[in-house]
Each structure stands twice: as C-alpha cells, then as structure tokens.
Amino acid sequence: LPFVGFVTVKLFHLDNITGIILLVVTSSPGGSYSNWWCSMFNADLALSVTMTAISTCLSVVLLPFNLLIYTRLAYGYDLAHSLDWGSLATALLLVIVAVACGLYASRRMNSHEFNLAANRLGNYAGLILIIFSGFLSNSHSGTRMWDRELSFYFGVPVPCLVALTVANVVTLWQQFPKPEVVTIAVESCFQNVGIAMSVAIAMFNGENLARGISVPFFYGLVQALLSFTY
C-alpha cells in the first residue's frame, strides 16, 4: 500500500500537502474500524484483530521508514526532512498504547457487557472524529470537499481500491476460506486515518490544515463505502 500511494502521488501529480498526507495514510497501520466491519459481516474477526495489532506494532518502524523513502522519491530530500517526525511518533505511540490497553482490559474484565460498552464508546469517539475532521476539511472556501481539483477525487481513492482488489484476487486464487478472504481484503485497504489526521493537525495551519486533513477524511469515506459495497 505505501508503494501504491507513491505511484498514485506521481501519477496524479498531487501537490505537496495532499501527497504527503496521502503517503502517511497509506503507510499507516490498519484501522480498528476494520474489526467492526469484519464483525458486522461475519468475517474472521480473530484474524482481523490480529492483523490490526501486528500492523500497529510494526508501524513503529515501517511507517516512518516508508514515509521517508517515498516522500524523498516524490518531493525531494529537503521536504522529507522538514516533516514533523516528533508528532508522527507521538501519534503512533498513542495508537499502540490504546490497542494494548484495549486487549488487556478485554482479557482482564472477561465480560461481554464490558466489551459491548467499550465498543459503543469507540463508535462514539470515531463518529466525533469524523465530524471534527469533516468540519476542519471544509473550514476554508478554497479547500471545501466540493471545490477540490479532479486529481484529488480520483487520486485519493486509488490506493484503497487497488489494495482491496489485489488482496481479494490473491486470496481467492490461493483458495482461502471465504471469511478469511473478506478479512484480508478489508484489512489490506482499511487504514488508521486518525494518525494522518493527527499529523496534519500538528504540521499545518489555516488553509493548509484544511487541505491536509481533507485527505484522510475523504479516504475514510471511500474505505467505508468500498468495504460496505464489497
């Protein structure tokens, strides 16, 4: 997915802000809402949680590594080293601690009621994040979702669509059980857009912030629509 993000940035000639945040999105670990989708559609939930947890742990090294490589290839050395790597590390650490605490609490409490309450709380928090990012992405007249350039509308969804398609084709070709096929396909395209939102908020201000945060907001809408349709 990071490589697909890089190809997309070059192919659609995305501007610096849009391209960098898209590279953050495609280099991020799997989003926890992928677990919700898998539970809703009777996919392999245990595999989904495992893939999310493993990709989150690996992202401590792989996210900055991929981001540094592909940002330098796309925009040059100077821009890559001007990124706020401290904010990126903070966002990653927060996600890892949250996942670890959630797994520990679930095992410690061993209560179905507790899990349901935690799930509801997570859904409320996710909804608030979507509303917040939607508000910020439309806070300036030149960056509103209906006023963006065509490259934005066509470029941002490409990595999600490619990842979903490739994962589905490969797993069906290898004759995986259908619940595993669904889980792997969803996990391959579903990213933790909250990390990219945190990076955009830390790195940009004003109109640039609106332009940057619109990328994970739009990608999040696309991945939800594609997962539901799939």
Side-chain angles (χ1 to χ4, degrees):
L1 197 56
F3 175 72
V4 175
F6 164 71
V7 173
T8 301
V9 167
K10 298 296 288 184
L11 185 64
F12 289 89
H13 305 288
L14 298 179
D15 61 86
N16 293 0
I17 296 173
T18 302
I20 288 174
I21 300 300
L22 182 60
L23 289 174
V24 175
V25 171
T26 56
S27 300
S28 294
S32 57
Y33 260 108
S34 61
N35 309 145
W36 182 80
W37 283 111
C38 289
S39 68
M40 285 288 291
F41 297 111
N42 295 323
D44 193 327
L45 181 58
L47 177 62
S48 175
V49 174
T50 302
M51 291 180 69
T52 299
I54 291 175
S55 68
T56 301
C57 293
L58 291 176
S59 68
V60 177
V61 175
L62 293 182
L63 196 162
F65 177 75
N66 282 316
L67 187 60
L68 180 62
I69 288 177
Y70 291 119
T71 303
R72 288 180 64 175
L73 289 174
Y75 298 110
Y77 179 89
D78 293 337
L79 185 60
H81 285 265
S82 67
L83 298 178
D84 190 345
W85 296 100
S87 298
L88 184 63
T90 302
L92 278 175
L93 181 62
L94 181 63
V95 172
I96 291 170
V97 170
V99 170
C101 289
L103 292 173
Y104 174 77
S106 179
R107 185 175 181 84
R108 181 77 174 178
M109 298 298 292
N110 194 26
S111 166
H112 182 65
E113 290 74 18
F114 172 80
N115 290 348
L116 286 176
N119 184 269
R120 291 192 192 99
L121 180 61
N123 288 334
Y124 293 146
L127 180 61
I128 292 171
L129 179 63
I130 293 171
I131 295 172
F132 175 70
S133 60
F135 173 77
L136 281 182
S137 63
N138 293 286
S139 58
H140 286 264
S141 58
T143 61
R144 289 171 182 160
M145 295 299 296
W146 52 88
D147 288 332
R148 298 298 301 270
E149 58 279 1
L150 285 177
S151 60
F152 173 84
Y153 300 117
F154 287 101
V156 173
V158 164
C160 186
L161 182 60
V162 170
L164 183 68
T165 303
V166 171
N168 192 69
V169 169
V170 171
T171 49
L172 286 175
W173 174 50
Q174 292 296 320
Q175 298 182 336
F176 278 53
K178 288 296 177 64
E180 292 183 9
V181 172
V182 174
T183 293
I184 294 171
V186 171
E187 287 289 334
S188 296
C189 74
F190 218 97
Q191 298 298 92
N192 190 330
V193 295
I195 293 177
M197 291 177 183
S198 300
V199 172
I201 292 171
M203 287 180 60
F204 306 119
N205 294 297
E207 186 174 336
N208 288 341
L209 171 59
R211 179 174 289 274
I213 207 168
S214 65
V215 176
F217 176 70
F218 187 49
Y219 187 96
L221 295 178
V222 169
Q223 69 182 5
L225 179 62
L226 282 178
S227 297
F228 177 79
T229 305
Y230 169 69

